[in-house]
Amino acid sequence: MKISAEIKAAARDWWVRLDSGKLSPNEHAEFTRWLAADPLHRQAYEQLRELWGALDAIAPRITIPAASKPKQLAWRWQWALPALAGGCLALWLFNPVWLILRADFHTGFGERRDVHLSDGSTVHLNSNSALEVHIDGAQRQLTLLQGEAWFEVSPDKARPFRVGTEHGSVTALGTAFNVRLHHDKTEVSVTEHSVAVDLQQADGKTLHTVVAEGQQIAYSAESGMGNLQHIDSQAVTAWQRGKLVFENRPLGEVLAELNRYHRGFLLINDPELAQRRVNGVFRTDQALSVLAALEASLQLRSTRFGDYLIVLHR
């Protein structure tokens, strides 16, 4: 029998929770009951465990070429990669400057930070993120300038808790939600209660929607408000436990995610390769080992300029 998406999501949820090492005895007993309730439960969990075990076993055996011995470049890369490297270096050097000057709180690559606000709320900042905060007697206005954050909101009816991005505004109607900035959109995932999303479109019209617990929405001024999607809250917030969870995600998206945890640039030069599907649970502090595992499992090669510019190709 085919394993349903719901069973796969539950198996992934249990894998992340067990991997965190923080389950209570009662939760371990609940996991045992879940496994025994249906043979497909055990099958789904074993498939996930075997996949992660295989990737984990591959990574240590991969030798990362030294920076002093780069592979011979094909002619088409001889002009393209140096120019790309120069542009990437410029972005790396200059982009953080305005963020640091404007942000009240920020994190570096691979760093996570808990920020306790004066109103009693807590913000969990993910890697390479920046946040601006304005809290006084009349307002609680925060702006996510870069990256990702999970907000645990202290109730205060007189001062709504709002998080703005370049794409719109989120107002807390409950206690906990995740906001993530992509280059072209904002993604909001609600883990407790609900939020209201307001989007000012280019034509001046305002779109408004409520996102409930267990739902996610993506939006931008250009593309408008996306459709509500159901989420696995444990997978969305796995980054807080140092994990990344991917289920049938394109390789291009996986590399983009790894770039958020690596001081450098992991790129792919082939649109077809970028659509290869990836499944797995990965550690956020081992971006290069994850990349090596992906190379081996997907039978790819890489051209490297040290650890700071790595291009995947056939």
Side-chain angles (χ1 to χ4, degrees):
M1 294 180 63
K2 185 178 179 181
I3 302 175
S4 69
E6 289 77 13
I7 292 177
K8 289 181 179 179
R12 185 176 64 241
D13 179 27
W14 279 116
W15 170 260
V16 172
R17 293 169 64 185
L18 286 163
D19 192 59
S20 71
K22 297 180 179 179
L23 259 65
S24 67
N26 287 339
E27 289 174 315
H28 275 286
E30 183 184 349
F31 170 64
T32 301
R33 289 193 295 271
W34 179 82
L35 279 181
D38 188 328
L40 291 180
H41 291 182
R42 182 175 294 277
Q43 183 180 343
Y45 185 81
E46 288 298 321
Q47 286 179 358
L48 184 61
R49 188 174 65 84
E50 289 173 5
L51 173 63
W52 174 237
L55 288 172
D56 196 36
I58 290 171
R61 297 201 299 266
I62 301 298
T63 301
I64 299 176
S68 59
K69 297 180 180 180
K71 292 182 179 180
Q72 183 66 35
L73 299 181
W75 68 268
R76 65 181 181 275
W77 291 105
Q78 290 178 349
W79 63 270
L81 284 181
L84 182 59
C88 290
L89 180 61
L91 287 172
W92 180 68
L93 289 175
F94 294 109
N95 185 53
V97 174
W98 71 268
L99 285 174
I100 293 174
L101 291 176
R102 182 179 173 187
D104 295 293
F105 305 98
H106 60 86
T107 54
F109 289 92
E111 178 189 3
R112 297 192 303 274
R113 181 179 180 183
D114 294 340
V115 179
H116 302 287
L117 303 177
S118 60
D119 71 327
S121 301
T122 301
V123 180
H124 306 270
L125 276 180
N126 199 358
S127 169
N128 194 26
S129 300
L131 181 72
E132 185 178 25
V133 177
H134 293 289
I135 295 179
D136 56 31
Q139 66 171 346
R140 296 188 294 173
Q141 179 64 55
L142 291 75
T143 304
L144 185 63
L145 303 171
Q146 178 174 287
E148 182 174 21
W150 186 52
F151 300 88
E152 292 183 287
V153 181
S154 178
D156 185 343
K157 293 182 179 180
R159 296 183 300 168
F161 189 98
R162 293 190 174 93
V163 178
T165 71
E166 60 181 297
H167 304 120
S169 177
V170 182
T171 303
L173 303 177
T175 57
F177 59 97
N178 196 83
V179 180
R180 179 183 172 191
L181 267 175
H182 297 263
H183 70 281
D184 61 346
K185 63 183 178 182
T186 295
E187 183 180 271
V188 176
S189 306
V190 181
T191 55
E192 291 183 21
H193 298 292
S194 60
V195 303
V197 175
D198 293 286
L199 171 62
Q200 187 75 32
Q201 292 185 294
D203 60 6
K205 296 181 180 179
T206 299
L207 299 179
H208 175 87
T209 191
V210 174
V211 187
E213 181 175 327
Q215 292 184 327
Q216 179 185 88
I217 197 168
Y219 56 90
S220 71
E222 291 74 22
S223 60
M225 200 84 73
N227 296 322
L228 290 171
Q229 307 287 337
H230 291 285
I231 58 166
D232 179 345
S233 296
Q234 290 291 327
V236 168
T237 59
W239 60 265
Q240 296 181 40
R241 299 178 293 278
K243 304 294 181 182
L244 296 173
V245 180
F246 300 111
E247 183 176 14
N248 197 32
R249 292 276 294 278
L251 176 60
E253 290 186 14
V254 173
L255 289 187
E257 188 72 11
L258 290 176
N259 273 318
R260 301 172 61 220
Y261 300 89
H262 175 63
R263 185 176 291 279
F265 294 87
L266 311 177
L267 307 174
I268 191 164
N269 75 319
D270 187 327
E272 182 180 343
L273 290 182
Q275 294 303 312
R276 293 269 189 96
R277 315 314 283 187
V278 175
N279 293 277
V281 181
F282 304 104
R283 290 180 54 173
T284 59
D285 61 348
Q286 295 185 354
L288 293 181
S289 293
V290 174
L291 185 71
L294 292 173
E295 283 186 61
S297 61
L298 298 178
Q299 299 182 338
L300 301 176
R301 295 184 296 165
S302 65
T303 297
R304 299 170 182 251
F305 289 81
D307 290 340
Y308 294 99
L309 179 59
I310 304 175
V311 182
L312 286 181
H313 53 87
R314 298 176 190 274

